[in-house]
Amino acid sequence: MISIKGLNKIFKSSSGDVTAVEDLNISIPKGEIFGVIGYSGAGKSTLIRLLNRLEEPTSGEVIIDDQDVTKLSTNKLREARQDIAMIFQHFNLLWSRTVRENIAFPLEIAKVSKQEREKRVDELIHLVGLSGREDAYPSQLSGGQKQRVGIARALANNPKVLLCDEATSALDPETTDSILDLLVDINEKLGLTIILITHEMHVIRKICHQVAVMEHGRVVEQGDVLDVFLHPQQPVTKRFVDQIMGDRDEEDALSTIVSQHDSGKVLRLHFVGEKTNQALISEIAKRFPVAVNILHGKITQTKKGAYGTLIVHIDGSSEAIQEAIHYIEETSVEVEVTSDVS
């Protein structure tokens, strides 16, 4: 559906060239929710503006539905942009227009008849959950309602791709979740491909199928969200995963247990999918002459399934501990020996 090949963006200034995006290569399947995550200055917002040529690329290709957007003339680009909608962090609504009039605006530009406009606007108001607020002005809406108007307006011309540039960053956590749920609903009902830019791993975890991690203008890691959670390779990715799975209490527990015991091992267990429901600890205690002390645990949900970590201290003879570890590994639960207590 979307193929990004060798994409580069260099900003020239009197103080020297600045490379915002460098040699990006990404493939995004049709109908997926694809997340791009990075800290401030990583180049993610520049990337999303390159996809619809709000920024002109220095080099490279952006192919959407077999059409290279970077090579389109001005008129052809205007047509293509009807298939590439965008929503923004700060909503970008027309403050002198009502909800209905804001949503109708792109249809007016496209010269859609009044009767068809009204029908389409009614459909969109219902889709985004704004029934009863049609005649309200943006100043009378909450942040979440404003973003729902922005989403409805973006969908007016039945786009194939929806670009979301930090679309939930200005919202509180509860409202963020409601907007994310709406995006999932739209993705499933309309088969819309969604590209979502964010600096929050919670957003990626909750709704994305795949993720690309950006740093200093480059994609340093990408793949299925669950795989990235399980096996983060780069330091920046590990920091993002720690937003969801990390906890200072974990390190405190580890240091405390090491100082209070003179034998055994501290293990970090990684559970995926149905394995998160296994009664593994009680089985170990029944089968082997070891003592197991749970130090810390956490489970989170991704689009591809649950992912959990459990940190335990296991004590007993060296042979019994090794047998218990081997048993755990046979259940397909990943085992990491964090430390030997000695």
Side-chain angles (χ1 to χ4, degrees), residues 32-324:
E32 283 210 350
I33 303 178
F34 189 94
V36 179
I37 192 168
Y39 290 109
S40 179
K44 57 190 187 298
S45 290
T46 300
L47 166 60
I48 205 169
R49 291 171 65 85
L50 290 170
L51 298 185
N52 59 3
R53 276 179 61 187
L54 288 177
E55 292 285 355
E56 289 291 338
T58 303
S59 61
E61 298 178 345
V62 177
I63 300 171
I64 300 176
D65 267 358
D66 299 320
Q67 181 174 244
D68 188 349
V69 175
T70 65
K71 292 181 170 62
L72 296 179
S73 66
T74 301
N75 288 337
K76 291 292 185 181
L77 178 60
R78 189 178 298 114
E79 292 176 11
R81 280 177 175 161
Q82 292 188 13
D83 290 332
I84 310 170
M86 191 166 182
I87 57 174
F88 305 87
Q89 177 180 356
H90 296 296
F91 321 125
N92 287 15
L93 301 182
L94 300 169
W95 293 88
S96 62
R97 286 178 168 244
T98 64
V99 167
R100 178 180 291 280
E101 291 167 344
N102 263 281
I103 298 170
F105 185 61
L107 298 172
E108 293 174 18
I109 294 175
K111 301 188 184 306
V112 174
S113 70
K114 182 178 180 181
Q115 183 177 359
E116 290 181 25
R117 284 202 312 266
E118 291 177 349
K119 180 182 177 182
R120 180 62 177 155
V121 169
D122 286 340
E123 292 172 352
L124 291 167
I125 286 173
H126 177 72
L127 177 66
V128 302
L130 285 174
S131 298
R133 303 295 286 161
E134 299 93 332
D135 298 321
Y137 288 89
S139 61
Q140 299 171 311
L141 302 176
S142 67
Q145 289 171 331
K146 290 173 188 172
Q147 194 56 283
R148 288 172 185 269
V149 177
I151 293 170
R153 183 182 59 186
L155 297 177
N157 284 313
N158 293 300
K160 297 175 181 177
V161 178
L162 178 63
L163 308 178
C164 305
D165 188 7
E166 298 279 9
T168 61
S169 294
L171 306 176
D172 62 76
E174 184 175 350
T175 306
T176 291
D177 281 345
S178 71
I179 294 298
L180 295 178
D181 289 340
L182 175 60
L183 290 175
V184 170
D185 187 51
I186 289 168
N187 168 256
E188 293 174 349
K189 286 181 178 177
L190 305 181
L192 195 64
T193 303
I194 298 176
I195 302 175
L196 193 149
I197 300 294
T198 185
H199 64 272
E200 299 173 294
M201 198 61 180
H202 164 73
V203 172
I204 300 293
R205 186 270 304 172
K206 186 173 175 67
I207 72 168
C208 293
H209 300 97
Q210 294 189 59
V211 61
V213 182
M214 288 191 68
E215 187 176 34
H216 305 310
R218 298 180 65 91
V219 170
V220 297
E221 193 163 349
Q222 62 180 303
D224 288 345
V225 170
L226 188 55
D227 290 340
V228 171
F229 261 85
L230 279 171
H231 305 291
Q233 300 298 310
Q234 301 297 322
V236 64
T237 311
K238 292 175 182 178
R239 292 201 299 273
F240 278 122
V241 172
D242 282 345
Q243 287 183 7
I244 302 298
M245 301 305 297
D247 197 318
R248 291 183 180 179
D249 291 343
E250 173 184 319
E251 298 303 323
D252 293 342
L254 290 177
S255 60
T256 298
I257 199 65
V258 169
S259 64
Q260 290 181 350
H261 293 75
D262 57 7
S263 62
K265 295 180 183 292
V266 175
L267 310 178
R268 181 181 278 107
L269 310 180
H270 299 276
F271 300 79
V272 184
E274 294 180 358
K275 301 184 195 72
T276 56
N277 297 322
Q278 292 179 359
L280 184 62
I281 301 303
S282 60
E283 278 298 313
I284 295 169
K286 290 176 184 177
R287 290 172 178 264
F288 306 99
V290 295
V292 184
N293 181 26
I294 297 174
L295 306 181
H296 179 81
K298 195 165 188 178
I299 295 176
T300 192
Q301 188 73 33
T302 73
K303 289 289 288 183
K304 293 291 184 69
Y307 163 55
T309 60
L310 188 66
I311 297 177
V312 301
H313 172 248
I314 183 169
D315 203 1
S317 68
S318 295
E319 182 178 341
I321 291 174
Q322 288 304 317
E323 288 177 351

